[in-house]
Amino acid sequence: MNHPIAILALQGAFAEHRKILESLGSETFEIRQAADLEHPCGGLILPGGESTVQGKLLRELELFDILRQRIISGLPVFATCAGAILLAEKLADDTAVHFGTLPVTIRRNAYGRQTSSFYISGKFAGVKGAVDMPFIRAPQIVSCAENVEILASYGGQPTAVRYRNQLAMTFHPEITGSGMIHEYFLKKVIDVQ
Ligand code: GLN
């Protein structure tokens, strides 16, 4: 049996992830403080929100080093939007780096004010049928290393990628009411580790 899935619950859209995972039959728990890291953990959700706030809180609450080490050691991680920014090895036009475990370069708030939020429906490799993809003040993956698998794209740029144990996307599958992408994480990232 898999261990419960940890959901980083410092800021942002963490409750939505929890609801979907539980509807799919997964046990979950929230990470809000260092003591929460003592739970056995089978996977980690890094939700959307505000990456600068999350990065600051991760460090202040002394969660940062342990979580980074666990990601490097192979803990399956599913990151959406701000979560993907936390994983990126490099940020375009920005000197900040957070976990830096995913070999991609990401540009924050890349769609500008006019089109900062929009909705598309598209293909996602390994998932049957069209997937709803809401983008909210979304970042763009502007480049990625050769060994990063591209699972979805929009306008010629990757919107969902996988690198070993790390699944990251620039949109928000947790607010669509569909569990397709969470199911992908449970079956194709966690179960195959
Ligand atoms: N713009 C946010 C950031 O830079 C990300 C937006 C989101 O998570 N929806 O952190």
Side-chain angles (χ1 to χ4, degrees), residues 177-188:
S178 154
M180 287 193 279
I181 304 299
H182 291 74
E183 221 172 333
Y184 175 95
F185 178 62
L186 296 174
K187 298 213 169 108
K188 302 208 172 155

Side-chain angles (χ1 to χ4, degrees), residues 11 13 47-54 80-86 107-110 134-139 170-172 174:
Q11 187 269 340
E50 203 49 53
S51 55
T52 41
V53 176
Q54 295 183 7
T80 55
C81 211
I85 295 169
L86 292 182
R107 177 173 288 119
R108 295 179 60 207
N109 302 316
F135 292 79
I136 303 168
R137 292 187 309 105
T170 56
F171 57 91
H172 286 267
E174 77 282 7

Side-chain angles (χ1 to χ4, degrees), residues 100-121:
T101 50
L102 181 67
V104 301
T105 299
I106 291 192
R107 177 173 288 119
R108 295 179 60 207
N109 302 316
Y111 294 95
R113 274 167 182 262
Q114 296 303 319
T115 50
S116 61
S117 299
F118 56 99
Y119 206 100
I120 61 168
S121 185

Side-chain angles (χ1 to χ4, degrees), residues 59 64 68 71-72 83-90 96-104 163 166:
R59 290 172 177 91
F64 186 85
R68 180 168 189 275
I71 295 168
I72 291 170
I85 295 169
L86 292 182
L87 290 180
E89 207 170 75
K90 193 169 183 310
V97 179
H98 300 284
F99 292 127
T101 50
L102 181 67
V104 301
Y163 174 69
Q166 301 175 61

